[in-house]
Amino acid sequence: MVKYKMMTLLLVLVLVLSACSGNKVINEPKPTSTPTNNVDTNKDDPKTDPVETEGTPLELAYQGAYKGKTVSMFGPFVDEDEVKFLDAIAEFEETTGIDIQYEGSKEFEATIGVRIEGGNAPDISDFPQPGLLSTFVSQGKVIDVSTFLDVEKLKGNYNQSWLDMASMKGPNGDIMAGVWNRSSVKSLVWYPKKQFDEAGYTVPTTWDELLALTEQIAADGDTAWAIGIESGAATGWPATDWIEDIMLRTTSAENYDKWVTGELKFTDPIVKNAFEKMSEIWLNPDYVYGGTKSIVTTSFGDSVLPMFKTPADAWLHRQASFITSFFPEGVTAGVDYDWFYLPPIDPQYGSPVLVAGDIYAMHNDRPEVRAVMEFFTTGESIKKWVQSGGVIAPMNDVSLDWYPSEAERRMGELVQNASTLRFDGSDLMPGAVGAGTFWKGTTDYVSGTVTLDQALSEIAAGYNN
């Protein structure tokens, strides 16, 4: 009996020693912010295979530290955009073992607030409108990504303007509210290249040269500009883009930011000057195809078509990079059409670029979520999307050779070399203004139903709603 007891004790001792020898500390980064939804569904995931190593969250991910973990993401990408996004992240998921479960919705703006307020925030949200994101930042429901990302590395990979635009006011001061991953360029003027060259016209590099070209085309018996702002309930938004571009060229970026927040009033002479600059072109019926009155009734998508007539009925169209989706089938970039940068007006404000884009924000703080956010700061995270066309990357480590066309390559270069970048102002303003009085007031002014001073007062009143 004693013999069996001795054997039992020896077995217990061996098991205890074995367990102790296998108990090693895993080096994983610890959350420093309070998550808004701290339920970790991966806690007991049997597929997880942690490793003993050191590094940033992304480096740990590539070494297998978060294999089997799941990161949820919610955003506006649907249809073709969703396919391109999923294709761009597929290799990362395969290499790291992290499953990024993306959910896209056309009702993102309406749904994201419900989810956050209801305690069901995704790990990461994709905000195409930074103004909406700032609302949640002010409520303390977004994690400051500068608490774990290398800010100096970010400064090396982004134009400082992108980082400035990611800074938003939280309950306890400014935070870095997210990272920029996809952008489009707005400061572009499109033209029918082959016919343009054959006519002997040259691309302007200053505002005065642009006006001179406009007058030259009129003197030749044509109208220079193809302009239309009809867009259903959103009629007027193309006009606001013009004003935003001109504001960046006639005043400082600091004043632009104050204008967006309402500190610089629409009735201020600085803003009025921007409208007057636009009016030099828009309100001259000799400069606009169909005359000034056609601007309000012409769909923004259809407004480009006169450029593709033979001979061209119009020669210039200012619009963002997405407008090629409305070009006729069969036309070729670099042959049938091309673009040039909307020229600067006042040299002291450099070569600013108006952009739109997507900023990814983080709501739940876990190591694998940090890894995915760090991944989104790299050009690799958007490489396949860039190669497939239709998107411009905000990061500097994106090779210009990745772009599928010369036109897009030049856009990528424009973004990388811009002296100042600023987001579409109407998307940053309160909804009552940016998607309300700004659209309507500008439309009323262009249509001639109100004076400029009346329109500016009408727009400014939106800040009181």
Side-chain angles (χ1 to χ4, degrees):
M1 189 70 175
V2 174
K3 178 179 177 182
Y4 289 123
K5 288 184 177 180
M6 290 296 294
M7 289 178 66
T8 301
L9 287 172
L10 285 172
L11 284 171
V12 170
L13 182 60
V14 169
L15 288 171
V16 169
L17 290 174
S18 297
C20 292
S21 66
N23 185 21
K24 297 182 180 180
V25 177
I26 304 302
N27 184 10
E28 289 188 344
K30 301 296 188 293
T32 58
S33 303
T34 302
T36 60
N37 181 8
N38 59 5
V39 177
D40 186 353
T41 58
N42 299 306
K43 185 175 180 181
D44 299 314
D45 192 336
K47 295 181 291 182
T48 302
D49 185 21
V51 296
E52 297 177 81
T53 186
E54 295 182 354
T56 69
L58 181 58
E59 290 169 343
L60 290 169
Y62 277 125
Q63 295 166 25
Y66 315 123
K67 183 179 180 181
K69 298 287 188 178
T70 296
V71 173
S72 62
M73 186 170 178
F74 184 48
F77 298 149
V78 295
D79 304 327
E80 183 180 0
D81 278 350
E82 181 173 359
V83 171
K84 289 185 175 183
F85 172 76
L86 294 176
D87 188 45
I89 64 174
E91 185 175 341
F92 171 81
E93 291 181 295
E94 182 178 354
T95 302
T96 63
I98 297 175
D99 179 15
I100 302 176
Q101 293 187 348
Y102 176 80
E103 178 188 355
S105 171
K106 292 180 179 179
E107 304 298 326
F108 168 80
E109 288 82 2
T111 306
I112 185 60
V114 174
R115 292 189 57 172
I116 291 176
E117 295 297 335
N120 187 34
D123 296 325
I124 299 170
S125 294
D126 167 14
F127 287 87
Q129 292 181 315
L132 179 59
L133 170 58
S134 67
T135 301
F136 301 116
V137 173
S138 67
Q139 298 170 353
K141 296 180 178 179
V142 174
I143 290 167
D144 184 354
V145 297
S146 70
T147 59
F148 62 90
L149 292 177
D150 186 333
V151 176
E152 289 306 312
K153 186 180 292 186
L154 293 177
K155 289 180 178 180
N157 204 32
Y158 286 91
N159 184 306
Q160 181 61 41
S161 291
W162 289 113
L163 304 183
D164 293 341
M165 291 188 292
S167 178
M168 299 181 187
K169 186 170 295 185
N172 302 311
D174 290 348
I175 71 167
M176 185 174 288
V179 298
W180 295 95
N181 187 258
R182 185 185 80 149
S183 69
S184 61
V185 186
K186 294 203 164 195
S187 303
L188 308 176
V189 179
W190 300 87
Y191 65 100
K193 179 173 174 55
K194 183 178 180 181
Q195 295 192 69
F196 189 91
D197 293 343
E198 290 174 349
Y201 299 139
T202 57
V203 170
T205 57
T206 68
W207 187 259
D208 287 341
E209 289 179 2
L210 181 66
L211 293 179
L213 172 62
T214 300
E215 178 58 33
Q216 181 183 354
I217 293 172
D220 291 341
D222 289 332
T223 47
W225 290 91
I227 306 174
I229 64 172
E230 192 282 321
S231 186
T235 292
W237 71 260
T240 67
D241 281 4
W242 271 75
I243 297 299
E244 291 153 6
D245 247 332
I246 294 173
M247 281 287 289
L248 287 173
R249 287 158 174 72
T250 55
T251 192
S252 64
E254 291 73 21
N255 276 340
Y256 182 91
D257 296 338
K258 291 178 180 178
W259 173 56
V260 164
T261 61
E263 185 178 350
L264 180 68
K265 306 298 183 183
F266 266 87
T267 51
D268 191 283
I270 292 175
V271 183
K272 184 175 182 178
N273 176 59
F275 276 80
E276 290 173 337
K277 284 290 183 184
M278 183 184 79
S279 301
E280 293 177 14
I281 294 173
W282 284 48
L283 299 191
N284 187 329
D286 294 334
Y287 291 171
V288 180
Y289 180 73
T292 298
K293 292 188 181 300
S294 72
I295 293 175
V296 175
T297 57
T298 301
S299 165
F300 78 92
D302 293 339
S303 66
V304 301
L305 300 179
M307 290 199 306
F308 296 99
K309 298 286 185 64
T310 304
D313 285 337
W315 297 83
L316 306 171
H317 180 78
R318 184 231 155 269
Q319 189 51 274
S321 51
F322 76 85
I323 197 61
T324 55
S325 300
F326 293 86
F327 287 179
E329 291 185 8
V331 296
T332 304
V335 179
D336 300 303
Y337 67 89
D338 204 348
W339 65 268
F340 60 82
Y341 167 70
L342 182 68
I345 297 175
D346 189 331
Q348 69 174 306
Y349 301 120
S351 301
V353 176
L354 187 69
V355 295
D358 296 80
I359 182 169
Y360 297 169
M362 177 175 164
H363 304 288
N364 301 316
D365 196 353
R366 302 190 307 276
E368 63 271 20
V369 184
R370 292 185 174 199
V372 173
M373 288 294 287
E374 187 179 353
F375 170 64
F376 284 140
T377 70
T378 68
E380 194 65 29
S381 69
I382 200 171
K383 180 178 181 178
K384 287 190 176 181
W385 200 339
V386 168
Q387 290 173 328
S388 69
V391 66
I392 304 300
M395 310 87 163
N396 295 331
D397 65 338
V398 168
S399 170
L400 297 176
D401 293 336
W402 293 354
Y403 291 99
S405 70
E406 176 66 12
E408 289 185 319
R409 186 196 68 76
R410 287 168 47 228
M411 289 179 205
E413 188 173 29
L414 179 66
V415 168
Q416 289 185 7
N417 295 335
S419 60
T420 302
L421 293 159
R422 280 299 183 270
F423 205 88
D424 181 308
S426 61
D427 282 346
L428 298 174
M429 295 172 181
V433 181
T437 58
F438 195 3
W439 290 352
K440 184 179 183 301
T442 306
T443 300
D444 290 344
Y445 169 59
V446 174
S447 69
T449 59
V450 299
T451 66
L452 178 54
D453 286 336
Q454 289 172 330
L456 294 175
S457 296
E458 177 186 341
I459 298 169
Y463 280 98
N464 300 322
N465 294 340

